[in-house]
Amino acid sequence: QVHLVESGGGLVQAGGSLRLSCAASGRTFSSYAMGWFRQAPGKEREFVGYISWSGSTTYYSNSVKGRFTISRDNAKNTVDLQMNSLKPEDTAVYYCAAEIGSGLLTRSNDYSYWGQGTQVTVSS
């Protein structure tokens, strides 16, 4: 089992950057694939990006590709989401999620463990 806590959210102007971090408890963090999702008010939760357990594979939604980067440090039990060139439409609560195993995971239902979320607001 793994417990996830996100941090790093806040208010930023359009074109700016933020770095979100997800800290995980548990001794087997390196066994988990990690995902980032977001949910804007009145909208469904949306896939943002994925990183494999080893960090060797990443995958992004078209809406963030080229602007966002996911990385992980298995020694520190953390996974980060670097967000550049932010747009007002990136405003949402951002969640990290974890699931044991391999394979590309892009759906909310693919993940068993979730953090509480962190708010990102991008002003125009």
Side-chain angles (χ1 to χ4, degrees), residues 44-102:
E44 293 188 354
R45 191 167 295 187
E46 173 191 19
F47 170 76
V48 172
Y50 157 92
I51 187 166
S52 61
W53 63 269
S54 65
S56 62
T57 300
T58 56
Y59 182 79
Y60 303 93
S61 68
N62 288 335
S63 61
V64 308
K65 194 178 299 181
R67 300 188 297 123
F68 291 11
T69 303
I70 298 176
S71 60
R72 68 187 296 163
D73 186 334
N74 285 342
K76 296 182 179 179
N77 282 15
T78 59
V79 59
D80 291 347
L81 179 66
Q82 177 66 43
M83 305 185 295
N84 299 328
S85 303
L86 283 161
K87 306 174 181 179
E89 51 263 43
D90 294 318
T91 295
V93 177
Y94 283 71
Y95 300 88
C96 65
E99 181 60 40
I100 282 277
S102 60

Side-chain angles (χ1 to χ4, degrees), residues 37-41 90-95 116-120:
F37 291 77
R38 66 187 182 187
Q39 189 166 19
D90 294 318
T91 295
V93 177
Y94 283 71
Y95 300 88
Q116 83 289 349
T118 186
Q119 176 70 47
V120 171

